[in-house]
């Protein structure tokens, strides 16, 4: 019997099916019926049903879910079906779905470079006129959060949820146990590393397999050593911007920290999606962790009495000796972003806009977000903090965000997806010590402006 | 219609003799239709995409050989090709002897061997992604098996050191697929006529001699079938590696299929990703043809008739 053909066929369809599936779908469908995905909420037989995809990490998922549920309850005839997905899986799936004309009505995102690609492909609604008609919606939100939602002077997304600066967390119990003080400079960090290692505790926790976690270190080192101009030059596509002396200095300092065993053993196989990096901090296996403000909520939920017992310390990234950057600067996410698919039906778009106007960051939602230990991007949100059990952390984050001279958007969100992927790959290699700072710079210079 | 008829004309004489009635060729139509829909059309589409630049969202633009030049000039491609071949060869070398030995052992008729065969088969029933997640948790140096049992030897940076991570991938792949290939060999061994062993026993051959002089030569075609499945299948290892190591640390386990995914869906470069897809097809075809040549013309013919 002929058995070569089946094996070849199986192989072909396996290897080719994926890209072509996307290609065919993109060419073939332009129908105005976006799929809802695996919807997990439904409200009877509503006529106008919009769909909404977002990230599944707790406790944020719960807040997002309850906002939709409240909206669905208040609007029996206008329903939103939602699907929650993991971070890295979501990034891929949303792009594929949009490319295939199967986007959800409401597209959750980070703004910046990815939003720009959606805009260039004509896949998201221009919300500028809607914001002009509804100034009350716009004026409630932090003006600074609109930057990453604005492409060529037009607003393509509603800033939502919370601002998330990157914070240096530390475990107070471990610091007391080893008898040391939180670092006030880069020199202090390097001096703390051998002390923690001698005590059998990893100095820093890191979920290195996710790669963007490593990137946060570079974002701060670049800023503290050379100021925000260094990355701005990359963003502005200036030739050889990665070879700036401050950049090379930052890359070298980072590798010095890796070589000194600054990060926990096995960091390059730990993923941030599983929150294993946070667990290392609250279980006392690691003393410090540089991570987004959003991890506060996770540690509060999963860490037992770690947060409630006052064992979690937090601070802004310390200055580097001789660095030019303002130590009040911060990096991270100035907000999350909700866009409306241009392929949605007019009814679905109306549902989405009603959701934006009435449910996103309304008083109850603001309270819920503050309850996760994050600062909602609503003017005067700090008045809601006093009642919160996380008042200290919330005031700290609000202070960082309102005092920062520069609040740089996360690099992988600010750059185009193609450049961001090269960046993340090279950062992983840099942390693995398999490339030198000079090789990193030349690899990255090659994709500037792409 | 002529295109559909061509493969039929090429079939060996034994088959044409049976199909003289004119009915049997039509039985191939559903399979051919599926092959065209899911094999040929996507292949042509990917070939087309490899000459374009497309970010997966906007307009597809013809860009000639740009993507080909970019990929072929990228040292990352050679690395991914090398890792792919390494995975293929090492996983074959690990799986084949183990599968043959297990298959020979399981070929006996005792009841406990049947029970063992069922137990061995369980890994194949699990999804690769689930296996990867389970192993990732077990191998975690801080919260995994080693730390849980307090065994220092098990506390390694399993997925963070290039050589260890590669070995883990090979181990997990073998763990999953050895049962399947053992089953193939078990079937192969049971087909060997008992008279051969009886004759050998009369001549005073021991177990080892019987294994090397009868079992192994008689399994030749089973080995080729099993190797073809292993080798061509190893080109498609994606989900396991994606979940386990994501190609890391620092590209140590970045195989071609993963490279294609990363370029296509993470970097939104559909052109270069399609180039890699085409390269994967060519490598797969070359391997399948090579193995067929090694096996000889009658490799896929039934061995029972002559026995």
């Amino acid at each position: 019997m002929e058995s070569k053909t089946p094996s070849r066929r199986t192989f072909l369809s396996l290897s080719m099916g994926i890209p072509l599936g996307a290609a065919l779908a993109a060419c073939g469908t332009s129908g105005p019926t976006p799929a809802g995905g695996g919807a997990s909420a439904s409200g009877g037989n509503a006529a106008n049903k919009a769909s909404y995809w977002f990230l599944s990490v707790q406790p944020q998922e719960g807040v997002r879910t309850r906002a939709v549920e409240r909206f669905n309850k208040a609007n029996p005839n206008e329903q939103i079906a939602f699907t929650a997905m993991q971070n890295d899986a979501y990034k891929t799936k949303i792009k594929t779905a949009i490319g295939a004309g199967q986007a959800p009505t409401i597209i959750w995102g980070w703004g910046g470079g990815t939003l720009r690609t959606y805009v260039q492909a004509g896949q998201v609604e221009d919300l500028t006129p809607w914001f002009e008609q509804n100034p009350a919606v716009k004026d409630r939100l932090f003006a600074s959060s609109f930057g990453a939602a604005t492409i060529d002077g037009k607003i393509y997304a509603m800033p939502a949820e919370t601002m998330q600066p990157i914070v240096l967390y530390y475990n107070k119990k471990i610091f007391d146990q080893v008898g040391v003080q939180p670092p006030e400079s880069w020199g202090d960090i390097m001096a703390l590393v051998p002390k923690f290692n001698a005590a059998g505790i990893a100095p820093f926790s890191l979920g290195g397999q996710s790669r963007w976690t490593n990137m946060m270190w570079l974002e701060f080192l670049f800023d503290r050593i050379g100021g925000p101009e260094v990355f701005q030059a990359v963003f502005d596509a200036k030739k050889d911007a990665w070879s700036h002396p401050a950049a090379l200095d930052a890359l070298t300092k980072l590798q010095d920290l890796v070589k000194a065993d600054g990060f926990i053993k096995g960091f390059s196989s730990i993923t941030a999606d599983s929150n294993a990096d946070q667990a290392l901090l609250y279980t006392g296996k690691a003393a410090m962790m540089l991570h987004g403000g959003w991890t506060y909520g996770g540690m509060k939920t999963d860490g037992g009495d770690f947060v409630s017992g006052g064992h979690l310390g937090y601070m802004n990234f310390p200055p580097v000796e001789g660095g030019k950057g303002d130590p009040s600067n911060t990096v991270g996410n100035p907000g999350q972003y909700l866009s409306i698919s241009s392929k949605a039906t007019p009814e679905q778009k109306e549902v989405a806009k009603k959701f934006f106007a009435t449910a996103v960051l309304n008083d109850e939602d603001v309270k819920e977000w503050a309850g996760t230990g994050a600062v909602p991007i609503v003017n005067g949100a700090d008045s809601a903090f006093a009642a919160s059990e996380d008042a200290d952390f919330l005031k700290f984050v609000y202070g960082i965000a309102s005092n920062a001279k520069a609040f740089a958007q996360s690099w992988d969100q600010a750059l185009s997806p193609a450049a961001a992927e090269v960046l993340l790959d090279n950062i992983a290699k840099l942390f693995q010590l398999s490339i030198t700072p000079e090789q990193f710079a030349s690899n990255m210079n090659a994709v500037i402006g792409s | 219609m002529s295109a559909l008829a061509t493969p039929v004309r090429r079939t060996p004489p034994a088959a044409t003799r049976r199909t003289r009635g004119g009915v049997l060729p039509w039985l191939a139509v559903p399979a051919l239709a599926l092959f065209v829909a899911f094999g040929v059309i996507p292949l042509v589409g990917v070939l087309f995409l490899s000459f374009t630049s497309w970010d997966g969202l906007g307009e597809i633009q013809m860009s000639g050989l740009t993507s080909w030049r970019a990929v072929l000039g990228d040292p990352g491609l050679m690395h991914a090709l090398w890792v792919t071949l390494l995975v293929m060869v090492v996983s074959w070398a690990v799986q084949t002897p183990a599968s043959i030995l297990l298959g020979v052992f399981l070929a006996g008729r005792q009841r406990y061997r049947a029970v063992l065969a069922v137990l061995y088969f369980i890994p194949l029933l699990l999804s690769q992604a689930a296996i990867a997640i389970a192993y990732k948790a077990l191998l975690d140096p801080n919260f995994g098996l080693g730390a849980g049992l307090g065994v220092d030897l098990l506390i390694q940076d399993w997925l963070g050191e290039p050589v260890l991570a590669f070995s883990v991938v090979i181990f997990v792949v073998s763990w999953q697929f050895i049962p399947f290939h053992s089953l193939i060999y078990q079937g192969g061994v049971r087909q060997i006529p008992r008279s051969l062993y009886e004759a050998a026993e009369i001549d005073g051959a021991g177990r080892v001699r019987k294994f090397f002089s009868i079992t192994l030569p008689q399994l030749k075609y089973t080995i080729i079938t099993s190797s073809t499945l292993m080798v061509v299948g190893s080109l498609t290892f994606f989900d396991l590696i994606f979940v386990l190591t994501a190609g890391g640390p620092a590209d140590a386990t970045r195989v071609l299929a993963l490279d294609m995914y990363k370029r296509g869906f993470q970097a939104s470069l559909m052109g270069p990703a399609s180039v890699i897809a085409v390269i994967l097809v060519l490598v797969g075809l070359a391997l399948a043809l090579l193995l067929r040549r090694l096996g000889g013309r009658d490799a896929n013919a039934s061995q029972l008739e002559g026995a």
Side-chain angles (χ1 to χ4, degrees):
Chain A
M1 293 302 275
E2 184 79 24
S3 89
K4 189 178 77 177
T5 318
S7 71
R8 190 193 300 172
R9 177 174 66 213
T10 316
F11 163 67
L12 288 180
S13 54
L14 276 178
S15 64
M16 319 311 297
I18 301 166
L20 195 89
L24 283 182
C27 304
T29 55
S30 56
T33 49
S40 44
S42 60
N45 44 0
N48 300 322
K49 195 157 188 164
S51 52
Y52 176 20
W53 294 0
F54 52 68
L55 294 196
S56 63
V57 179
Q58 290 290 11
Q60 289 83 350
E61 180 187 348
V63 180
R64 292 173 191 132
T65 307
R66 287 190 289 278
V68 175
E69 281 165 355
R70 278 195 301 273
F71 177 84
N72 284 344
K73 211 170 171 189
N75 302 278
N77 293 320
E78 290 154 313
Q79 297 285 298
I80 294 175
F82 63 88
T83 308
M85 285 172 243
Q86 276 208 336
N87 188 328
D88 290 351
Y90 176 80
K91 285 180 185 167
T92 308
K93 187 160 184 196
I94 189 76
K95 210 160 30 182
T96 312
I98 292 174
Q102 302 284 316
T105 315
I106 301 170
I107 301 167
W108 190 100
W110 294 266
T114 309
L115 182 63
R116 179 180 291 273
T117 62
Y118 299 164
V119 171
Q120 282 164 349
Q123 296 284 353
V124 288
E125 284 275 281
D126 178 5
L127 297 178
T128 322
W130 182 73
F131 275 116
E132 275 163 13
Q133 289 155 22
N134 297 275
V137 178
K138 189 179 177 189
D139 295 343
R140 291 183 67 228
L141 308 176
F142 287 167
S144 61
S145 61
F146 278 87
T150 308
I151 312 286
D152 300 330
K154 287 181 182 166
I155 304 168
Y156 288 93
M158 172 166 175
E161 304 187 358
T162 59
M163 67 163 75
Q164 305 282 7
I166 309 300
V167 174
L168 182 58
Y169 296 100
Y170 58 95
N171 186 327
K172 287 183 181 168
K173 266 194 285 192
I174 299 297
F175 271 72
D176 288 346
Q177 186 188 318
V178 180
V180 288
Q181 295 300 311
E184 284 170 10
S185 67
W186 181 256
D188 285 357
I189 288 182
M190 294 303 288
L192 283 172
V193 166
K195 289 180 188 161
F196 284 119
N197 278 330
I201 294 159
F204 285 99
S205 171
L206 183 66
Q209 199 185 88
S210 300
R211 303 181 300 172
W212 53 265
T213 41
N214 305 4
M215 179 185 67
M216 300 187 288
W217 279 90
L218 292 183
E219 288 169 355
F220 267 122
L221 279 172
F222 272 54
D223 179 273
R224 294 292 187 265
I225 295 173
E229 309 81 81
V230 182
F231 182 72
Q232 191 62 39
V234 172
F235 188 73
D236 296 339
K238 293 221 173 77
K239 197 174 179 307
D240 293 337
W242 289 99
S243 297
H244 192 286
L248 291 173
D249 188 16
L251 296 166
T252 308
K253 281 200 161 56
L254 188 275
Q255 287 202 325
D256 289 345
L257 183 59
V258 177
K259 285 175 195 159
D261 289 329
F263 298 104
I264 189 150
K265 193 179 175 188
F267 71 83
S268 54
S269 58
I270 298 171
T271 48
D273 271 352
S274 59
N275 289 352
D277 45 358
Q278 302 172 27
L280 289 168
L281 183 71
Y282 62 67
T283 56
K285 291 185 198 297
M288 296 174 273
M289 175 177 74
L290 186 66
H291 214 313
W294 59 88
T295 53
Y296 177 90
M299 289 188 280
K300 199 174 113 183
T301 317
D302 303 331
D305 74 334
F306 181 61
V307 175
S308 59
H311 304 305
L312 174 69
Y314 36 81
M315 56 185 288
N316 201 347
F317 195 86
V320 174
E321 290 82 352
K324 284 202 314 204
D326 190 312
S328 75
N329 288 348
T330 191
V331 302
N333 301 338
Q336 287 75 47
Y337 296 90
L338 302 176
S339 303
I340 298 179
S341 166
S342 56
K343 298 286 192 291
T345 63
E347 294 81 22
Q348 287 172 326
K349 288 177 186 171
E350 281 314 306
V351 176
K353 284 173 184 167
K354 190 166 183 186
F355 178 67
F356 288 1
T358 63
V360 175
L361 292 177
N362 65 14
D363 290 346
E364 207 160 340
D365 203 32
V366 165
K367 231 177 278 166
E368 287 229 28
W369 281 114
T372 67
V375 174
I377 54 162
V378 172
N379 289 316
D382 52 336
S383 65
F385 297 165
S388 165
E389 55 187 89
D390 307 306
D392 288 343
F393 183 75
L394 291 168
K395 278 182 204 149
F396 162 75
V397 171
Y398 196 83
I400 282 191
S402 48
N403 294 329
K405 301 225 168 41
F407 193 145
Q409 193 187 11
S410 293
W411 290 354
D412 59 340
Q413 304 306 335
L415 295 175
S416 75
E421 183 60 22
V422 178
L423 171 74
L424 293 170
D425 262 349
N426 276 285
I427 287 177
K429 288 179 191 157
L430 186 82
F431 273 69
Q432 198 65 30
L433 303 178
S434 66
I435 53 172
T436 64
E438 288 75 21
Q439 284 167 330
F440 178 92
S442 73
N443 291 352
M444 291 311 302
N445 284 334
V447 295
I448 279 180
S450 72
Chain B
M1 221 21 249
S2 63
L4 287 181
T6 319
V8 176
R9 236 179 266 143
R10 268 201 223 136
T11 47
T16 34
R17 199 169 56 229
R18 262 181 273 152
T19 59
R20 199 178 290 147
V23 180
L24 279 179
W26 291 102
L27 293 179
V29 169
L32 272 177
L34 284 174
F35 179 54
V36 170
F38 296 107
V40 178
I41 294 176
L43 185 59
V44 174
V46 163
L47 202 58
F48 166 73
L49 274 184
S50 74
F51 296 105
T52 64
S53 65
W54 185 41
D55 65 358
L57 292 172
E59 298 279 300
I60 300 179
Q61 282 160 348
M62 297 306 295
S63 63
L65 288 171
T66 317
S67 298
W68 281 90
R69 267 193 223 107
V71 170
L72 294 178
D74 180 354
L77 173 84
M78 287 317 291
H79 176 78
L81 199 58
W82 165 242
V83 175
T84 308
L85 292 177
L86 211 58
V87 167
M88 184 184 293
V89 171
V90 177
S91 70
W92 179 85
V94 170
Q95 287 183 74
T96 302
S99 303
I100 291 178
L101 289 176
L102 261 178
V104 170
F105 169 72
L106 291 173
R109 301 280 174 184
Q110 295 93 333
R111 179 169 292 176
Y112 76 94
R113 296 197 190 189
V115 174
L116 282 178
V118 171
L119 286 181
Y120 288 150
F121 204 63
I122 288 175
L124 195 77
L125 304 177
L126 306 172
S127 114
Q128 284 211 320
I131 291 175
I133 291 172
Y135 269 99
K136 203 171 157 63
L138 286 174
L139 296 172
D140 187 301
N142 300 298
F143 301 110
L145 199 61
L149 298 175
V151 184
D152 284 345
L153 186 70
L154 286 176
I155 307 179
Q156 305 282 342
D157 190 4
W158 291 110
L159 300 170
E161 294 286 336
V163 176
L164 279 182
F166 184 84
S167 313
V168 167
V169 167
I170 298 292
F171 174 81
V172 178
V173 164
S174 306
W175 182 82
Q176 188 182 18
F177 288 109
I178 283 178
F180 172 70
H181 294 282
S182 301
L183 199 75
I184 295 182
Y185 285 115
Q186 183 196 28
V189 172
R190 284 186 177 169
Q191 304 262 337
I192 300 172
R194 207 164 275 187
S195 54
L196 291 178
Y197 291 102
E198 285 161 3
E201 274 160 24
I202 291 171
D203 289 343
R207 296 177 97 174
V208 176
R209 182 67 197 263
K210 278 192 282 181
F211 175 76
F212 283 105
S213 298
I214 302 174
T215 314
L216 214 50
Q218 289 287 317
L219 283 177
K220 179 185 169 197
Y221 297 115
T222 316
I223 293 174
I224 288 164
T225 306
S226 157
S227 300
T228 309
L229 289 173
M230 272 184 209
V231 163
V232 179
S234 73
L235 286 178
T236 61
F237 288 152
F238 167 74
D239 33 6
L240 180 93
I241 296 178
F242 183 61
V243 178
L244 209 54
T245 67
D251 288 358
T253 55
R254 185 162 171 153
V255 293
L256 270 183
L258 190 68
D259 199 47
M260 174 178 81
Y261 170 83
K262 286 196 160 203
R263 287 178 206 247
F265 293 98
Q266 292 192 336
S268 289
L269 299 168
M270 290 296 170
S274 302
V275 171
I276 293 182
V278 174
I279 292 172
L280 262 175
V281 172
L282 296 179
V283 173
L285 280 181
L287 283 169
L289 289 174
L290 184 76
L291 281 163
R292 192 169 163 74
R293 177 140 302 183
L294 283 178
R297 221 158 218 300
D298 53 347
N300 298 310
S302 166
Q303 298 303 302
L304 266 187
E305 288 166 34

